[in-house]
Amino acid sequence: MNFPDQPSDAARAAAMQRSTDAPGKPLPQRRALPVPRGRFAWMTGAFSVALLAVSTVFWCLLLFPVALLKLLLPFAAVRRRVDPVLNAIATAWVSSNAGWFARIQRAPWDIQGHAGLRYADWYLVNCNHQSWVDIFVLQHSLNRRIPLLKFFLKRQLIYVPVIGLAWWALDFPFMKRHGKAELRRNPALGREDQEAARRACEKFSLVPTSVMVFAEGTRFTDAKRAAQASPYRHLLKPKAGGLAVALNAMGSRFRSMIDATIAYPEGIPSFWDLACGRAGQVVVRMRQLPVPPAFCDADYTRDKAFRTEFHHWLGQQWQAKDDEIERLTARRAN
């Protein structure tokens, strides 16, 4: 499968400028389906969970035989042909799931900032993290606009029945999570995860891919915010390592970084709320940011000056994101 030639730097800059200056019209919204509400909302939830399970099994039955071919023939030439097929199956899987969840919500989702995105290109996506609902929101917002989102997962999730094997087949990076005390005792553990991330990103360079990062590393709660003395109102402190490794491994491939901000003005919903059709208002704002060329070559683990610069760069984005969430939640609440 052939992909279009990469755009020039000038073309990239122009596209990012259009995306920043004119975020584009909101995504077209489908009319919400009539579903049980109030005390009967559990009926919608039960049907949604059952539908999700059936959809997962169906698409995985299509996915696994193709994945087996890649396992038996682990060559770059094979991957270039097989990976687009796997991604196409996963994209159809995402469409069926995300489309259903979006249509059963009472309030249409307000999604803006998608101008200038290309399906046949590479992106780094960075987003705040509040709920498992975030993943379905991002998939619905970006599906078929950019390549399939692939995000870093805890290594234990590979053992989840069916879906864990699917994530492995799609080359989702599985990472160990080490506590600060453990890393202080053995700094080599941190480098192991960084090397695993680097190997995964190298695989992504073969075909257009979107690398998804939740820089906070975990879901936001007020208790976690207080425990780490976060300076932000709606965010935890960002962890720069995953972003830095992705940029170092394949930064020159990325067309841009998509800075995505999700806000829930009526309160953060759970997955069950989403399944029952009561996620409330969902607001998504996206902007494309250029990837500084220097970030693609610097060594985050060994270059202290670069780490300082990178933290400052990410901190500026995080402050802007926190201010945006404050504006969105305050405006919707009034």
Side-chain angles (χ1 to χ4, degrees):
M1 179 174 291
N2 296 322
F3 297 100
D5 292 337
Q6 295 299 298
S8 65
D9 292 341
R12 291 174 184 266
M16 285 184 285
Q17 186 65 33
R18 288 194 299 271
S19 178
T20 301
D21 295 344
K25 298 178 182 179
L27 292 177
Q29 300 292 339
R30 299 177 181 176
R31 177 177 295 181
L33 295 175
V35 296
R37 306 290 184 184
R39 60 181 179 177
F40 296 109
W42 66 268
M43 297 171 60
T44 302
F47 182 78
S48 296
V49 172
L51 187 63
L52 178 62
V54 171
S55 173
T56 298
V57 171
F58 172 78
W59 291 109
C60 284
L61 287 176
L62 297 180
L63 187 80
F64 291 154
V66 184
L68 180 61
L69 177 63
K70 185 172 72 170
L71 178 64
L72 295 176
L73 300 171
F75 309 113
V78 175
R79 292 183 63 90
R80 288 191 180 93
R81 290 162 175 78
V82 171
D83 282 354
V85 176
L86 291 170
N87 290 339
I89 294 172
T91 296
W93 178 17
V94 167
S95 296
S96 62
N97 297 336
W100 166 256
F101 284 125
R103 290 199 68 182
I104 62 174
Q105 308 308 316
R106 179 185 289 110
W109 293 356
D110 180 0
I111 303 168
Q112 298 182 28
H114 57 279
L117 300 178
R118 290 161 41 98
Y119 187 74
D121 221 324
W122 284 259
Y123 291 93
L124 178 62
V125 182
N126 187 21
C127 186
N128 59 309
H129 194 18
Q130 303 164 85
S131 165
W132 281 111
V133 176
D134 300 340
I135 295 173
F136 292 96
V137 170
L138 284 171
Q139 288 177 332
H140 176 68
S141 304
L142 293 169
N143 191 40
R144 300 188 188 280
R145 295 180 177 274
I146 64 175
L148 179 71
L149 292 173
K150 297 188 179 181
F151 39 88
F152 296 90
L153 299 166
K154 295 179 183 178
R155 186 164 295 182
Q156 296 90 327
L157 292 178
I158 197 172
Y159 300 109
V160 175
V162 183
I163 187 68
L165 187 57
W167 283 328
W168 170 84
L170 291 165
D171 289 323
F172 280 54
F174 289 94
M175 315 289 289
K176 288 184 178 179
R177 294 287 177 85
H178 303 288
K180 289 184 178 180
E182 190 177 8
L183 288 172
R184 280 195 295 268
R185 290 194 300 269
N186 187 3
L189 294 175
R191 289 192 289 273
E192 286 179 5
D193 265 356
Q194 290 170 1
E195 184 57 31
R198 191 182 308 279
R199 288 195 300 269
C201 289
E202 288 173 355
K203 294 179 183 178
F204 296 158
S205 67
L206 295 175
V207 297
T209 305
S210 300
V211 180
M212 174 68 222
V213 177
F214 288 119
E216 290 164 292
T218 185
R219 285 166 285 172
F220 172 90
T221 66
D222 287 325
K224 293 176 183 177
R225 174 183 174 274
Q228 65 173 215
S230 171
Y232 309 106
R233 293 159 291 184
H234 306 282
L235 302 167
L236 302 178
K237 294 178 181 178
K239 298 178 179 179
L243 274 173
V245 169
L247 285 171
N248 184 256
M250 53 183 298
S252 59
R253 282 279 192 180
F254 291 131
R255 177 180 176 85
S256 64
M257 188 179 88
I258 300 175
D259 178 42
T261 300
I262 300 176
Y264 303 104
E266 297 178 18
I268 300 172
S270 65
F271 170 75
W272 183 245
D273 291 327
L274 179 73
C276 291
R278 58 189 184 202
Q281 292 178 323
V282 177
V283 184
V284 183
R285 295 292 181 266
M286 294 174 284
R287 57 178 182 149
Q288 290 191 66
L289 301 176
V291 176
F295 287 8
C296 303
D297 301 317
D299 188 339
Y300 180 82
T301 58
R302 295 181 174 87
D303 189 337
K304 184 176 180 181
F306 168 64
R307 285 201 302 274
T308 301
E309 181 183 3
F310 193 85
H311 289 165
H312 178 70
W313 177 76
L314 185 57
Q316 288 180 319
Q317 294 178 37
W318 231 238
Q319 186 59 60
K321 187 183 297 290
D322 193 52
D323 293 341
E324 174 115 66
I325 296 174
E326 178 68 18
R327 287 193 299 270
L328 293 172
T329 53
R331 177 167 61 87
R332 297 300 173 113
N334 292 333

